[in-house]
Amino acid sequence: MAKLHIGDHHGAPTLFMDGQPLFTTIYLTVRNSKMHVNGWQGDPYFEQFRDAGFHFYSIELPTSFDDAYDATTGSFRSEAFDRLEVLRQYAQLDPQARFLLRVGIEPRGEKSAWIQQHPDECEVLEPRAKGIYPTPSYASKVWLDDAAAFLHALITYIYDNQLDEHILGYLICGGDSAEWVKVGPMEDWAGDFSLPMQKAFQRWLQTKYGTQDALREAWLDPQATFDAVTVPSPEEQSAADLYLFKDPRKRRKAIDHFQFLADLVADDIIYLCGVAKVACKREHLAGAFYGYVQEIVWNNGFFGQRLADADVEHAAGARSGHAGLAKVLASPDVDFLSSPFSYGFRGVGGEGSFMSPQESVRRAGKLWISEEDMRTHLWSSNSYYGQTRNTGETVQVLKRQLAHLITHGAGAWWCDWGKSTGGAYAESEVMDVFKRSLEIGHRALALPDRSSIAEVAVVIDAESSFYRSTLNNFDLPSWRNHAWGNVRMGAPVDVILLSDVLADRARDYKFYFFVNAVHFDPHERAHIKEMLRRDGKLALWVYAPGFVSEDISEDHCHDLTGIRLKMTPRQWGSHVFISNFQHPITHNLPTTTTWGTEMRLGPLFTVDDADITTLGTVVINQGRCEPGFVLKEEQNWSSVYSAAPNIPPGVLRELARYAGVHIFSEEDDVMYADRAFVALHTVRGGQKRITLPHRADVFELYSDRKVGSQCEVFYDNMEAGTTHLYYYGQQPL
């Protein structure tokens, strides 16, 4: 029996099977996941993926929780899993086939026998919620025990029927879309007000505070008792004290609730992954869709789903429960995490990053497996989500995505959801890209150092949303910054959790970009200053850095950044333009360089500090033009502040250069790089110039061309909307 596990391999978490490292590429087919309804369907592209080098596959478990649940006994019928015989039919086509099973662990809907039997264990949303179906509360121990029993019954069946040799692992799926997010956060509906959730919140508070006196002091409520606490009302959850910000002195109950929910969802995932790992004797993988803290600023309005009046104004982050990422990453029972690739700008000229801080996942020793659900030209028309329009575009976007995986040490599965016949990738040119990419990915495993080369850290605070209103005014332009700025600055970046930086789990970087760091307690603020104010480091801060501490004050911003801000208690859009082109950071920037947002930020901030260099001016309410992009230089560190989010790539590149970061490209193209590869995906065609960190022979791998010999700089011509992947390693690939 082959054993699978995730372990470090030359500096990157890697899938091992029987001690051999493997490039994790998976084909997800839907042809026969509901075989009991449709019967076996011919699946021609299963064989084409096999011939391209795939032997890992994914399929939705054809037996749901509700299919197997026996309400009379409260157990799960073994015969309900007979539908897994479909795996043997696939194995006849590929004897090496192993499947990642997508396992839904929730009963769902009014017709569910479990829901009918346990109505008091179900989620309760605020009264204005509409068009919903019942699901278990994340806090229900009855449900969690039954979900564990379902997993155990499934895996027992797999072993009893000698199907274990065909299993790669278990993707444990909860929430509305299998991604551990309920409908409520996506519609800005408050909850969960069920009795299990109320009781779980009380227990969490007792663990956190210990005594009722401590709870009363924190909540400024002399009457608070653990056994009388309720989940905060919709008004308490959404309330803010100064436009976008909560004052922790007044809103600790809501902040505690958001933190509790994150811990609860993390605990559920850890527990169920642990059940799976024990049941499979730790021979298979276990993981979940989770940790979308770089991305989960959208709502049902963004996706155009559910009702016509679906919410568009609010971010799902605080209520999603995804902020428990650090806790999940610390668990030995979670092998991998996953998400669809970013929805921000998928199309030609865009990029496809992960929704989670990838470097935190890597440093925790977990494998990131991206769900590559790209809408190809072979999907039905108007499939949106950056759908490609023809074979050429599909090939170039697919190359971009595979180059991203290779340069970040990640795996992926590709979803064949486009058509009931033929498949989303059913063209020879597309399959050729897969075949070549798998060859590259497998050979790259032999490289001596697969760790990140990034000298830039993009720092994400998973808990930032706890201290703000649920409005997405700041979240959306901050989210856009990755696709429009970070990956186009011409230097590779590591996206990492603030909690890893604070806990010294991150390595040193030259340039830190704090995207949403609005909250630090006094101890954290002291620690981050000590870490940043040395060795010539440069920190970039946006909008309201550190504004929230034990209270809310612009003095906290000054203490954190070294730059004195002036707060205006109004709200309006905020736009920065360069007004000083004499400094090395701004000298080469176009006169038209601007950034900002029309979404209402509030309060507004400008700079009021004589001991800084003003690089740019911010335009805010009343047409005021005040310092808004500034540099403070000390003997051994520098601090930069921008009053507006969504900083363009040219500005980021010049800041990186000023910090001593190696710049690979000056072109504003999407660029990924590690110690052996550089990938470019273009918007504008023309001759591209790449500067390497050392001399090397250079090969473009998809066209199998030698581009340069023992060079530090090389040039190559690229058409608009195309992808090149260059190898510059110091040993043959």
Side-chain angles (χ1 to χ4, degrees):
M1 170 63 193
K3 183 176 180 179
L4 300 114
H5 75 281
I6 306 300
D8 179 80
H9 182 64
H10 300 172
T14 304
L15 171 62
F16 284 82
M17 186 164 71
D18 281 345
Q20 295 300 310
L22 298 171
F23 181 38
T24 308
T25 48
I26 302 168
Y27 171 50
L28 188 154
T29 176
V30 295
R31 296 295 179 275
N32 298 291
S33 61
K34 299 296 183 184
M35 188 180 66
H36 59 293
V37 176
N38 300 316
W40 176 264
Q41 300 177 63
D43 201 347
Y45 260 72
F46 184 93
E47 294 160 275
Q48 270 80 354
F49 273 87
R50 175 202 64 195
D51 294 344
F54 285 73
H55 298 294
F56 294 141
Y57 308 94
S58 184
I59 193 169
E60 182 182 354
L61 181 68
T63 301
S64 71
F65 180 107
D66 288 317
D67 289 336
Y69 182 67
D70 186 333
T72 303
T73 63
S75 62
F76 295 89
R77 298 177 292 106
S78 176
E79 61 271 19
F81 298 110
D82 287 347
R83 299 164 186 169
L84 280 169
E85 287 299 311
V86 68
L87 300 186
R88 294 194 209 278
Q89 291 178 266
Y90 276 121
Q92 291 177 10
L93 300 175
D94 182 359
Q96 300 180 59
R98 282 182 173 271
F99 282 83
L100 179 67
L101 297 180
R102 299 166 68 101
V103 184
I105 42 73
E106 289 183 348
R108 178 173 294 185
E110 295 176 351
K111 295 182 180 180
S112 163
W114 191 97
I115 296 290
Q116 294 172 3
Q117 195 172 33
H118 301 288
D120 293 338
E121 300 296 323
C122 292
E123 181 187 37
V124 176
L125 295 175
E126 63 174 294
R128 69 189 178 101
K130 58 185 178 180
I132 59 173
Y133 51 84
T135 61
S137 169
Y138 280 146
S140 169
K141 188 175 186 303
V142 176
W143 160 70
L144 195 62
D145 287 346
D146 282 346
F150 175 67
L151 270 173
H152 191 271
L154 162 67
I155 297 172
T156 298
Y157 178 93
I158 285 170
Y159 275 85
D160 287 348
N161 290 273
Q162 290 79 51
L163 287 169
D164 49 297
E165 64 181 307
H166 300 307
I167 301 299
L168 170 62
Y170 311 94
L171 177 69
I172 298 173
C173 302
D176 179 53
S177 60
E179 296 169 281
W180 289 95
V181 182
K182 298 277 192 176
V183 174
M186 300 295 289
E187 292 284 357
D188 195 44
W189 296 331
D192 166 8
F193 299 102
S194 66
L195 184 60
M197 188 65 78
Q198 306 274 19
K199 293 297 183 183
F201 187 36
Q202 292 168 2
R203 292 191 296 271
W204 184 90
L205 290 169
Q206 191 151 13
T207 299
K208 175 177 179 177
Y209 289 109
T211 67
Q212 289 184 155
D213 286 343
L215 175 68
R216 291 167 177 171
E217 181 179 356
W219 285 15
L220 299 181
D221 182 357
Q223 306 303 318
T225 61
F226 291 123
D227 58 1
V229 164
T230 59
V231 168
S233 68
E235 294 74 22
E236 289 175 306
Q237 290 186 34
S238 60
D241 299 288
L242 187 59
Y243 300 108
L244 297 181
F245 294 96
K246 296 180 186 293
D247 186 335
R249 296 169 300 182
K250 303 175 183 178
R251 306 296 172 190
R252 180 57 60 185
K253 181 178 181 180
I255 293 167
D256 278 345
H257 175 257
F258 294 142
Q259 181 65 70
F260 149 72
L261 182 61
D263 284 350
L264 175 66
V265 176
D267 286 340
D268 285 354
I269 291 171
I270 291 167
Y271 173 69
L272 293 173
C273 284
V275 168
K277 293 296 285 186
V278 170
C280 74
K281 310 169 194 175
R282 309 194 84 81
E283 292 175 337
H284 305 145
L285 307 182
F289 288 114
Y290 191 66
Y292 296 12
V293 296
Q294 186 178 333
E295 180 100 2
I296 196 164
V297 304
W298 19 249
N299 43 50
N300 278 336
F302 171 83
F303 289 101
Q305 61 190 24
R306 290 183 57 80
L307 307 175
D309 61 349
D311 182 75
V312 298
E313 295 180 347
H314 298 87
R319 292 188 171 120
S320 69
H322 272 239
L325 176 59
K327 193 173 192 180
V328 169
L329 291 178
S331 170
D333 291 325
V334 179
D335 297 305
F336 69 90
L337 292 176
S338 183
S339 76
F341 68 97
S342 174
Y343 290 111
F345 184 4
R346 287 184 165 194
V348 174
E351 63 92 37
S353 294
F354 313 120
M355 294 186 181
S356 187
Q358 161 69 359
E359 187 61 16
S360 286
V361 176
R362 283 174 59 139
R363 296 192 75 79
K366 313 301 182 186
L367 181 65
W368 186 265
I369 307 180
S370 178
E371 178 168 270
E372 295 289 315
D373 59 336
M374 66 177 290
R375 275 59 168 174
T376 74
H377 66 290
L378 297 174
W379 283 54
S380 58
S381 61
N382 298 324
S383 290
Y384 307 112
Y385 299 103
Q387 182 177 15
T388 53
R389 294 168 292 188
N390 52 53
T391 302
E393 288 192 356
T394 296
V395 163
Q396 298 305 324
V397 172
L398 183 60
K399 286 181 182 178
R400 181 194 74 200
Q401 293 305 105
L402 281 152
H404 182 248
L405 299 173
I406 291 167
T407 55
H408 288 79
W413 62 74
W414 283 267
C415 302
D416 202 359
W417 294 337
K419 289 184 177 181
S420 59
T421 59
Y425 309 98
E427 291 182 346
S428 59
E429 298 96 326
V430 176
M431 296 309 301
D432 287 344
V433 174
F434 277 120
K435 184 176 181 179
R436 178 59 174 153
S437 299
L438 264 64
E439 292 171 352
I440 296 167
H442 285 304
R443 291 177 184 174
L445 294 173
L447 296 175
D449 190 348
R450 300 170 57 228
S451 63
S452 171
I453 198 175
E455 299 174 301
V456 180
V458 175
V459 184
I460 306 290
D461 181 7
E463 300 175 3
S464 173
S465 60
F466 299 172
Y467 298 90
R468 295 185 279 112
S469 82
T470 55
L471 289 170
N472 55 27
N473 297 34
F474 177 64
D475 293 297
L476 282 178
S478 296
W479 167 48
R480 294 292 187 193
N481 214 141
H482 195 73
W484 296 97
N486 301 349
V487 298
R488 300 175 194 273
M489 75 169 75
V493 303
D494 281 348
V495 184
I496 193 164
L497 285 171
L498 175 61
S499 57
D500 279 340
V501 176
L502 289 168
D504 298 322
R505 289 190 292 264
R507 59 188 178 84
D508 274 351
Y509 296 88
K510 295 179 178 179
F511 175 23
Y512 293 78
F513 179 8
F514 292 89
V515 174
N516 65 341
V518 302
H519 171 260
F520 292 85
D521 66 31
H523 172 76
E524 292 169 339
R525 199 162 60 242
H527 184 73
I528 203 77
K529 288 193 299 182
E530 180 183 7
M531 190 206 78
L532 291 175
R533 296 182 180 185
R534 58 179 173 84
D535 302 330
K537 297 180 187 299
L538 184 146
L540 170 61
W541 309 93
V542 179
Y543 177 48
F547 182 59
V548 184
S549 185
E550 62 275 14
D551 57 5
I552 52 177
S553 171
E554 64 267 43
D555 291 339
H556 301 319
C557 304
H558 174 232
D559 182 48
L560 176 68
T561 68
I563 298 168
R564 193 173 299 280
L565 303 185
K566 179 174 67 176
M567 182 185 73
T568 299
R570 300 282 183 176
Q571 56 181 343
W572 198 251
S574 182
H575 294 84
V576 170
F577 68 94
I578 302 299
S579 51
N580 171 8
F581 290 92
Q582 303 307 308
H583 194 275
I585 291 174
T586 56
H587 180 72
N588 293 321
L589 293 173
T591 310
T592 53
T593 302
T594 64
W595 65 92
T597 179
E598 291 291 354
M599 301 189 79
R600 290 183 297 176
L601 302 181
L604 298 166
F605 295 93
T606 56
V607 178
D608 185 15
D609 194 326
D611 192 26
I612 51 89
T613 300
T614 298
L615 303 174
T617 298
V618 63
V619 183
I620 53 172
N621 69 319
Q622 297 179 309
R624 289 161 51 196
C625 300
E626 300 179 20
F629 179 51
V630 305
L631 168 70
K632 183 180 182 68
E633 295 178 285
E634 296 291 349
Q635 183 174 357
N636 208 20
W637 58 277
S638 300
S639 192
V640 176
Y641 170 75
S642 172
N646 205 7
I647 301 168
V651 176
L652 294 173
R653 179 165 52 253
E654 296 306 327
L655 288 170
R657 197 190 319 273
Y658 193 71
V661 171
H662 176 79
I663 305 299
F664 283 81
S665 172
E666 310 277 348
E667 297 285 340
D668 289 1
D669 294 311
V670 172
M671 193 217 73
Y672 308 120
D674 67 5
R675 298 180 188 278
F677 300 97
V678 183
L680 281 186
H681 179 70
T682 63
V683 175
R684 173 183 288 181
Q687 188 180 67
K688 305 297 178 178
R689 181 181 191 270
I690 302 290
T691 303
L692 300 174
H694 57 76
R695 289 189 175 276
D697 291 340
V698 181
F699 301 85
E700 202 292 308
L701 296 176
Y702 283 115
S703 59
D704 199 20
R705 292 180 295 119
K706 189 170 186 178
V707 181
S709 298
Q710 287 302 300
C711 54
E712 288 187 11
V713 176
F714 70 91
Y715 299 84
D716 200 15
N717 289 314
M718 295 183 67
E719 296 180 5
T722 59
T723 303
H724 286 184
L725 176 61
Y726 301 102
Y727 176 70
Y728 73 99
Q730 294 183 308
Q731 66 181 51
L733 184 64

